Amino acid sequence: MTTTTSTATTAAGRHRALALTCSVVGAAVVALDGTVLTIAQPALQRDLHADLGQVQWTSTGYLVAVASLLVFAGRLGDRYGHRRVFALGCLGFAGASAGIAAAPGIGWVIALRVAQGAAGALLQPATLGMLRGAYPPDRLGMPVALRTSAIALAAAAGPLVGGALVGAYGWRAVFLLGVAPTTALALLCLAVPEARRSTPVPAGAVPAGAATVGGSRSTAGPARAGDLLSGPAPHARPSTGPGPGLRAGLPPALTALDLPGACLLGLALAGLVHGLVTGAPFAFVVAAGATGLLVRHERRAPCPLLPPGMMRPGPVTAGLGALLAVSAALSGTLFVATYLLQDTLGLDPLDTGLRMLPLALVMVAAAPLSALVQRRLGARATAVAGAVLTAAGVLLLGQPSVTASGPATGGCAALIGAGFGAVMVTATSVVVHRAPREHAGVAGGLQQTAMNTGPVLGVALATLLLASGTALPALAAVAALAVPAALGLPGARPHTPRRADTPPAP
């Protein structure tokens, strides 16, 4: 008995280490790729004789692909295992990156960036889904914080690494950065055996009580596919008749994935992102129409892509709202600060980067500290404080007397980094923790959708208001919107001693 317990403990520890490694490194590689591209774009444009619109599509194509596929990719992870989907995403990301490095023309670069975005959409929700499956809910804060610190570190290092590579080897070198680590992560995931299902699952059913460990799935008992709507149903019996998918003429596996819902959500998000980036009115019409059809479809679908319980007002939607607000404020502020410091004050890019460097450095330190504060004070207080710090930093940065001083600018950047780190860690852990375990991938996809859509919204708002001089106050107001959202997060729970043999409460 002791040997069996020890073996199980060792296996659980191995799966946790693998999940944490894949989550941290995978998220960092994606963040690094986004920052180095900005540095490489001017050289890419010159070398491939591309116009500005074509170069813009190297970013827009990636954003549209990522935004439209994140939630569906999370659903794939929930059904087939987060580790498998993560490995597939890593291989796709590595292949697309290597292809871009060898691309003969701008058309190939754009097409491969879209493919790279699709691969990134596969691996990003899986980084959170693996953590949700490997760690108990009350221990998710620190793994999420380490993942956040890695993203901040990659964002800080990206311009420096990208500049060095472009200067020494050309723009193609920056796309080779992610090939080796993503390939290694994929091989590692495929090499380590996954836990096996303990109970056979009926064809077409996704177990509502499925427990995911390191990307694999084990079940405490059979469940109907329809149980996905309401969460775990311990007394449910397996259905012996044809499921809703068969009655509708679709295979059960396709019904459980909700392909029509995935297509409508992808079209809505793709239209929104494309409209915000390019300003095309037709894109907003497409987004609005697809959203209306999506709402109608999800209400009638037997296994909706967006579980109703997850999308009702509560901690999950509050966390998503807070993430959307602070990510929009952060990206919009960085966009405005770049023009403010360089065009108005005449600083060169290096001096601009150095003045804003405290944002990333403080965020690296604030992420794990926020996880500790959250355990003591609760998610609500931690996120509210973070939102206030973010809004204050953005508002102060808009004062001419502040931007004229290097230390004052760095201090505002530090405030923004501390606040954003606190909200990101706290809200992300709540979203992943509060979502049912069998929907961890969808929760991760929604979190990543908020984090990818927010920056597009922020930059669009900043672009609109930049000439009027009101961009930073408006972005501070956007950051302040995270405060009411954060008030919907759970507060501190009273500490009660727990016996050593009692599992943590979900």
Side-chain angles (χ1 to χ4, degrees):
M1 186 69 174
T2 304
T3 303
T4 303
T5 303
S6 176
T7 302
T9 303
T10 302
R14 184 168 61 248
H15 284 300
R16 287 177 183 173
L18 177 61
L20 183 60
T21 300
C22 291
S23 180
V24 168
V25 178
V29 167
V30 173
L32 185 65
D33 179 82
T35 55
V36 297
L37 174 64
T38 305
I39 302 298
Q41 280 178 329
L44 182 152
Q45 181 180 0
R46 291 192 299 269
D47 187 45
L48 298 182
H49 308 290
D51 58 44
L52 186 60
Q54 291 173 319
V55 173
Q56 185 183 26
W57 265 102
T58 63
S59 297
T60 303
Y62 180 91
L63 286 173
V64 169
V66 167
S68 61
L69 293 174
L70 280 168
V71 177
F72 181 63
R75 183 64 167 262
L76 288 175
D78 289 334
R79 183 160 181 82
Y80 298 109
H82 298 295
R83 195 193 300 174
R84 293 189 185 96
V85 174
F86 178 81
L88 179 62
C90 284
L91 290 175
F93 198 90
S97 299
I100 295 170
I106 189 64
W108 280 99
V109 173
I110 294 172
L112 288 169
R113 278 288 288 172
V114 172
Q116 191 184 45
L122 289 176
L123 71 88
Q124 288 185 57
T127 62
L128 292 172
M130 287 188 292
L131 292 181
R132 176 65 175 89
Y135 287 87
D138 61 349
R139 293 180 57 189
L140 267 175
M142 191 54 69
V144 170
L146 294 176
R147 178 180 177 275
T148 302
S149 293
I151 292 173
L153 191 60
L160 300 177
V161 174
L165 287 176
V166 171
Y169 305 106
W171 66 268
R172 298 179 187 272
V174 303
F175 290 102
L176 297 175
L177 270 176
V179 174
T182 49
T183 303
L185 288 177
L187 296 177
L188 180 62
C189 287
L190 296 174
V192 177
E194 297 192 72
R196 296 182 179 274
R197 297 177 190 266
S198 59
T199 304
V201 179
V206 180
T212 310
V213 180
S216 62
R217 301 162 65 85
S218 62
T219 66
R224 297 187 300 269
D227 293 335
L228 286 172
L229 301 178
S230 57
H235 302 297
R237 296 179 181 177
S239 175
T240 56
L246 294 178
R247 289 195 295 271
L250 292 174
L254 296 185
T255 301
L257 289 175
D258 188 17
L259 288 180
C263 291
L264 288 171
L265 178 62
L267 184 61
L269 290 171
L272 175 63
V273 171
H274 184 260
L276 289 171
V277 172
T278 64
F282 179 72
F284 292 110
V285 174
V286 170
T291 300
L293 292 174
L294 174 67
V295 172
R296 183 173 182 269
H297 167 78
E298 291 294 282
R299 289 175 175 173
R300 301 181 178 186
C303 298
L305 178 68
L306 303 173
M310 190 184 302
M311 300 310 297
R312 295 191 187 103
V316 173
T317 52
L320 293 173
L323 288 170
L324 185 69
V326 295
S327 62
L330 174 67
S331 295
T333 299
L334 291 176
F335 180 82
V336 174
T338 300
Y339 281 92
L340 183 64
L341 295 176
Q342 292 188 26
D343 291 354
T344 304
L345 299 182
L347 300 180
D348 59 32
L350 179 60
D351 287 336
T352 300
L354 290 175
R355 287 201 180 190
M356 299 303 294
L357 185 61
L359 189 154
L361 296 181
V362 172
M363 185 176 161
V364 171
L369 180 61
S370 299
L372 298 176
V373 173
Q374 179 186 350
R375 289 179 66 89
R376 179 174 293 273
L377 301 181
R380 184 186 304 148
T382 308
V384 167
V388 170
L389 287 176
T390 304
V394 175
L395 189 61
L396 289 173
L397 193 62
Q399 305 301 314
S401 59
V402 172
T403 51
S405 167
T409 303
C412 291
L415 281 178
I416 298 171
F420 180 80
V423 176
M424 184 175 178
V425 169
T426 306
T428 299
S429 61
V430 169
V431 169
V432 179
H433 171 191
R434 291 287 173 148
R437 203 170 195 178
E438 65 271 16
H439 297 320
V442 172
L446 289 170
Q447 188 270 353
Q448 289 295 314
T449 299
M451 295 299 297
N452 280 272
T453 307
V456 180
L457 288 168
V459 172
L461 178 63
T463 303
L464 183 65
L465 300 177
L466 184 62
S468 67
T470 59
L472 287 176
L475 290 166
V478 171
L481 292 176
V483 173
L487 291 174
L489 300 178
R493 291 189 299 179
H495 176 72
T496 55
R498 178 168 57 86
R499 290 171 50 188
D501 58 345
T502 304

